[in-house]
Amino acid sequence: MTKKFTILVVDDEKDMLKTYENILKKEYRIIISESGIDALQKIERNDVDLVISDIKMPQMDGIELLKHIKEKHTHIDVIMATASKDVASAVQAMKLGAYDYINKPFDVSELKLIIERSLEKISLVKENIQLKETIKSSNPSLDLIGHNKETQKIRQIIKDIAPTDSTVLITGESGSGKEIAARLIHNQSNRKNNPFVAINCAAIPENLLESELFGYERGAFTGAMERRIGKFELADSGTLFLDEIGCMSPTLQSKLLRIIEDRKIERLGGNAQIDIDVRIVAATNIDFEKTIKEGKFREDLYYRLNVIPIKMLPLRDRKDDLELFINFFIGKFNKEFNKNIRSVSPQVYSKLRAYNFPGNVRELQNLLERAVALTKGNMIEEEQIFGLRYSSGNIQDENKPTSSDLKDALETFEKKIILNALAQSSDNQTKAAAKLGIARTTLSSRLLALGIRGQDES
């Protein structure tokens, strides 16, 4: 069962507390308090996610309560409730760190929307914290792996630009670590305690991407039964990572350009301009110069995104770091599978060094995950890398390469995986790419390279 969020409601009027409780108790765990002093004590004793507090209260008013909460419990959002005539206090509260405010008497749907937005943001922050802790526990010094000079330059660029709010464009082949670089930028920035929201523009159909990015109002289109908050709003005060931005349609490119310039969005079906404070980090594996010449990507948007360019290296240009990657992934999957594998055999290492890795680091990771899962001893041999399995004491080789060349063997395995994904997706390349965890453009290029004919989705 999903744990309910806990909301602490603070008001010196008992009838008001009862109203809040009746409205919210079905969806949330509600704690009530009649004073600011009592509220602080209850925060110490409970895992509170959100506080809704009246501003005008005796002894300790809402402003003082807000100050105490933001001083000791920065992870807790605070929504202030105020009489419509006391707007000045609400503005002061916002400056002191309140998430939002409502006017009393309040509109129930407006209150619920503000709560929903706050808790969605809190969920993302918690997920980011959990991810960081997972990363720390698996490898306390995880960074861009490698001693390569170019990798060191990228690491230094990220360190230098992370504290700024400048837009970043990360380019490089699929699987080269673009999202890792984006997360490092966020984690080293002043926004690190706020949401990091990622969206793959190639994995979502064009007609759905707009609503995913900007959200929509109830009734905006058939099936829009309630208001939905988009990724831009969810990333407010944090970082929005737009992966595979080169796949974005011209219409959305125009809207994105306007958002970067104005820092305002508009939900589908709505008229209100919503201010956003979002750092945009975009990534792509396309050749922008070629795409711009073909009229498929706006040149003005490219220049707005390319304020700080970072180019990730393909694995074939970082072979001096190959051993580091191998050891890192073996260590990672040893923990996951409770194995004690030391390394790959010299024969495997030699062939990996000679291989071109069209799928880059992600391809190596997938190879080693399978190999660690299949290996019985403490050394990965060629049969595990080639996807062999044992049956009745004999090697049953369904994926055995016709050549000893690793490239042929891996292409045979890759072809089988892609065909399986296409079959499960009714030959829909967008869905198959999502299943495989790659961009549709990447899948299309692999289909061409492997001589697989896919259904035309144009």
Side-chain angles (χ1 to χ4, degrees):
M1 181 181 289
T2 305
K3 176 181 174 291
K4 281 188 173 182
F5 285 104
T6 299
I7 299 176
L8 171 63
V9 183
V10 192
D11 202 300
D12 59 323
E13 295 181 17
K14 291 184 179 181
D15 289 345
M16 202 69 228
L17 291 174
K18 195 68 178 175
T19 299
Y20 280 116
E21 194 170 19
N22 289 337
I23 292 170
L24 303 174
K25 65 183 179 183
K26 286 185 179 180
E27 298 172 83
Y28 309 106
R29 175 176 173 246
I30 303 300
I31 302 173
I32 60 173
S33 178
E34 295 182 28
S35 73
I37 295 171
D38 178 63
L40 290 175
Q41 293 172 351
K42 286 181 175 174
I43 288 173
E44 294 294 339
R45 296 196 300 266
N46 296 275
D47 184 14
V48 175
D49 296 295
L50 174 66
V51 172
I52 302 173
S53 175
D54 192 24
I55 289 184
K56 298 294 183 183
M57 295 187 295
Q59 293 183 302
M60 179 186 289
D61 65 14
I63 298 294
E64 284 301 311
L65 173 61
L66 172 65
K67 288 178 181 177
H68 282 289
I69 291 173
K70 287 302 170 185
E71 190 176 308
K72 287 189 65 179
H73 308 279
T74 55
H75 65 285
I76 298 177
D77 271 354
V78 182
I79 297 171
M80 307 303 297
T82 181
S84 56
K85 61 184 179 181
D86 192 17
V87 177
S89 295
V91 172
Q92 182 189 3
M94 295 292 285
K95 289 179 179 178
L96 291 171
Y99 177 76
D100 210 332
Y101 70 92
I102 53 170
N103 289 319
K104 296 167 66 175
F106 56 79
D107 178 86
V108 173
S109 60
E110 180 185 5
L111 172 66
K112 287 187 173 182
L113 174 63
I114 294 172
I115 290 172
E116 180 185 331
R117 285 179 61 187
S118 166
L119 294 178
E120 282 194 71
K121 188 197 82 170
I122 289 168
S123 294
L124 284 167
V125 170
K126 285 184 175 180
E127 285 175 14
N128 283 329
I129 291 171
Q130 288 170 358
L131 177 63
K132 289 175 189 175
E133 291 304 315
T134 301
I135 289 171
K136 284 180 183 178
S137 63
S138 62
N139 181 19
S141 59
L142 180 64
D143 200 338
L144 288 175
I145 297 172
H147 301 314
N148 180 285
K149 287 183 179 180
E150 291 302 316
T151 303
Q152 291 181 33
K153 286 181 183 178
I154 293 171
R155 195 181 287 121
Q156 186 60 50
I157 290 170
I158 289 174
K159 183 179 178 181
D160 291 341
I161 61 96
T164 74
D165 283 333
S166 298
T167 304
V168 181
L169 179 61
I170 307 172
T171 57
E173 297 175 11
S174 291
S176 58
K178 297 189 291 295
E179 183 166 350
I180 290 174
R183 287 186 180 275
L184 285 172
I185 291 168
H186 175 77
N187 292 344
Q188 294 179 34
S189 75
N190 299 327
R191 299 170 178 264
K192 62 186 177 184
N193 294 321
N194 296 318
F196 176 91
V197 180
I199 183 167
N200 188 322
C201 300
I204 301 173
E206 182 183 333
N207 59 330
L208 296 180
L209 183 57
E210 185 172 6
S211 61
E212 282 290 321
L213 287 171
F214 310 129
Y216 53 80
E217 299 288 353
R218 180 179 180 182
F221 50 82
T222 303
M225 305 303 292
E226 57 185 21
R227 179 183 284 170
R228 180 184 173 89
I229 305 302
K231 302 297 186 186
F232 270 98
E233 284 185 82
L234 290 176
D236 192 39
S237 73
T239 302
L240 179 62
F241 177 52
L242 299 173
D243 197 9
E244 301 299 349
I245 196 168
C247 298
M248 187 176 283
S249 71
T251 301
L252 283 182
Q253 289 177 36
S254 299
K255 291 190 176 184
L256 179 60
L257 178 64
R258 190 179 70 246
I259 288 166
I260 293 173
E261 292 172 345
D262 299 341
R263 297 290 163 177
K264 296 178 186 292
I265 66 159
E266 206 173 279
R267 298 190 200 107
L268 296 183
N271 298 314
Q273 292 280 310
I274 302 167
D275 292 322
I276 54 160
D277 173 22
V278 171
R279 182 183 196 166
I280 294 175
V281 178
T284 187
N285 62 0
I286 69 167
D287 180 346
F288 265 124
E289 185 175 338
K290 178 184 176 184
T291 309
I292 290 170
K293 283 181 179 178
E294 292 173 349
K296 295 178 181 177
F297 201 88
R298 294 181 61 117
E299 188 172 14
D300 48 1
L301 176 58
Y302 168 69
Y303 288 122
R304 293 308 299 265
L305 293 171
N306 198 38
V307 177
I308 298 175
I310 296 177
K311 183 172 178 58
M312 305 301 293
L313 294 176
L315 184 54
R316 62 181 172 275
D317 293 340
R318 302 176 58 189
K319 287 295 181 66
D320 46 342
D321 290 332
L322 182 62
E323 188 173 357
L324 287 173
F325 280 111
I326 291 171
N327 292 335
F328 171 75
F329 288 126
I330 288 177
K332 177 179 186 292
F333 295 123
N334 271 340
K335 288 183 179 180
E336 286 188 22
F337 303 139
N338 196 26
K339 296 287 185 80
N340 189 30
I341 296 168
R342 294 198 306 269
S343 188
V344 299
S345 71
Q347 294 84 359
V348 169
Y349 182 72
S350 176
K351 290 190 175 183
L352 290 175
R353 284 280 302 184
Y355 181 52
N356 209 29
F357 283 103
N360 290 297
V361 177
R362 188 183 294 128
E363 182 180 6
L364 176 64
Q365 178 179 345
N366 291 342
L367 280 173
L368 290 172
E369 180 177 2
R370 184 178 73 246
V372 171
L374 292 171
T375 299
K376 304 295 184 184
N378 56 21
M379 184 73 68
I380 295 173
E381 303 291 349
E382 291 182 66
E383 57 263 31
Q384 285 90 38
I385 287 288
F386 293 142
L388 302 180
R389 62 186 177 84
Y390 289 89
S391 177
S392 304
N394 297 315
I395 295 174
Q396 302 298 314
D397 189 1
E398 294 179 350
N399 301 309
K400 186 175 181 179
T402 56
S403 163
S404 60
D405 182 76
L406 180 59
K407 182 175 184 296
D408 292 340
L410 290 172
E411 283 188 354
T412 300
F413 187 79
E414 181 184 11
K415 190 171 184 177
K416 183 175 180 180
I417 293 295
I418 289 175
L419 287 171
N420 186 48
L422 285 167
Q424 291 178 9
S425 306
S426 301
D427 212 27
N428 184 297
Q429 290 183 29
T430 300
K431 291 180 180 178
K435 281 181 177 292
L436 294 166
I438 60 176
R440 186 191 161 188
T441 51
T442 302
L443 176 59
S444 297
S445 65
R446 294 310 299 153
L447 290 174
L448 185 63
L450 295 168
I452 302 172
R453 289 194 176 187
Q455 181 178 319
D456 187 2
E457 298 176 26
S458 60

